[in-house]
Amino acid sequence: MVARTLYNNVVRIEGLKEPPSEASALSALRLPLGKPFRYSSLADGLNRLSDTLKDEGLYQSQVHSALDPHPATQQMDVLVTIVPGRRARIGQIGVSNQSRLTNSELLKRSHLKTKQELTSARLTRAADHLRKSLIKEGYLGATISIQRGRYDAAANQVPLTVQVTGGPRVRVRVEGVHYGPGKLRKLLPIYAEGGVDEDLLQEGSRNIRDDLQRQGY
């Protein structure tokens, strides 16, 4: 007996507690409209969705699916139901510090605190805060990463390790004209890129030249 191929039609998600957004959740499923429906593809998509939910701190989430086939039109509707559970909190925060700043100063600048809700956006913002603050002080090659530890289901917490490498401190000096630190950070792409190479230096020189020309020099 040959079964007729059904094609993805309506894919709905219910019970989602953002983040992640509905668009991110649907993207994780990867069940594009009009493509052949496969049970294996659905199973893989549900696994990806579970991982996406965990990235957003929803470690207790449960994901279920229900199918509504329409043989007459060769279409398959999919309903995904999420039971999100409680979002995990940040547990103990450790620091792997290879910079001249103290651990307490790094944590202060990251704005991370224990018992905050754990989301990917919060960790991204924390890393950005740290990187920008170090670059502002001249550590243009600073690298920041925030690693998650093992989820503690009893406490509903995830420990974090903030890894910071400051690198060498770079002093920037412009001769012949005075620019304040804020103006220099706007003109020199080494600050935005967090690194120093010949191309970035040349681009910075052009930006300074263009700025001076706009001022009539």
Side-chain angles (χ1 to χ4, degrees), residues 117-134:
E117 285 194 338
L118 177 63
T119 64
S120 61
R122 172 163 275 135
L123 300 188
T124 298
R125 285 196 303 269
D128 287 343
H129 285 317
L130 279 174
R131 180 173 175 272
K132 288 178 180 178
S133 69
L134 287 168

Side-chain angles (χ1 to χ4, degrees), residues 145-161:
S145 66
I146 301 177
Q147 305 297 324
R148 305 186 192 202
R150 185 183 297 274
Y151 171 63
D152 183 344
N156 193 33
Q157 292 183 348
V158 177
L160 301 177
T161 300

Side-chain angles (χ1 to χ4, degrees), residues 16-214:
L16 180 65
K17 182 169 67 174
E18 295 189 10
S21 65
E22 183 175 358
S24 295
L26 288 170
S27 178
L29 287 172
R30 297 182 196 168
L31 297 175
L33 178 67
K35 294 294 184 180
F37 172 80
R38 298 284 185 266
Y39 287 98
S40 58
S41 297
L42 175 60
D44 291 342
L46 295 177
N47 287 333
R48 285 190 298 269
L49 177 56
S50 293
D51 290 340
T52 298
L53 294 170
K54 289 177 182 177
D55 284 343
E56 299 298 346
L58 298 175
Y59 288 83
Q60 299 177 353
S61 61
Q62 300 177 33
V63 180
H64 308 283
S65 65
L67 303 178
D68 185 13
H70 303 279
T73 56
Q74 290 185 259
Q75 293 177 325
M76 176 69 83
D77 294 345
V78 180
L79 171 63
V80 175
T81 303
I82 298 172
V83 182
R86 294 183 301 147
R87 199 178 304 275
R89 303 276 174 166
I90 295 175
Q92 182 178 357
I93 306 174
V95 181
S96 176
N97 186 0
Q98 298 182 45
S99 75
R100 296 185 181 182
L101 300 179
T102 65
N103 290 358
S104 59
E105 181 62 25
L106 290 173
L107 288 178
K108 181 180 179 181
R109 296 186 184 193
S110 74
H111 304 301
L112 287 176
K113 297 180 181 179
T114 58
K115 298 186 179 180
Q116 288 176 328
E117 285 194 338
L118 177 63
T119 64
S120 61
R122 172 163 275 135
L123 300 188
T124 298
R125 285 196 303 269
D128 287 343
H129 285 317
L130 279 174
R131 180 173 175 272
K132 288 178 180 178
S133 69
L134 287 168
I135 288 175
K136 187 176 180 180
E137 295 188 6
Y139 298 100
L140 301 184
T143 58
I144 313 293
S145 66
I146 301 177
Q147 305 297 324
R148 305 186 192 202
R150 185 183 297 274
Y151 171 63
D152 183 344
N156 193 33
Q157 292 183 348
V158 177
L160 301 177
T161 300
V162 181
Q163 299 179 336
V164 180
T165 302
R169 192 172 190 177
V170 178
R171 183 182 178 187
V172 177
R173 183 175 63 190
V174 178
E175 296 182 342
V177 64
H178 174 72
Y179 281 117
K183 184 71 170 181
L184 275 181
R185 284 193 291 273
K186 291 181 180 179
L187 292 174
L188 301 182
I190 57 176
Y191 289 105
E193 298 296 331
V196 179
D197 61 34
E198 185 62 28
D199 290 339
L200 293 176
L201 291 175
Q202 290 297 329
E203 183 179 349
S205 296
R206 290 193 295 270
N207 290 344
I208 291 175
R209 179 198 63 199
D210 293 344
D211 182 70
L212 291 173
Q213 288 177 349
R214 284 193 295 269

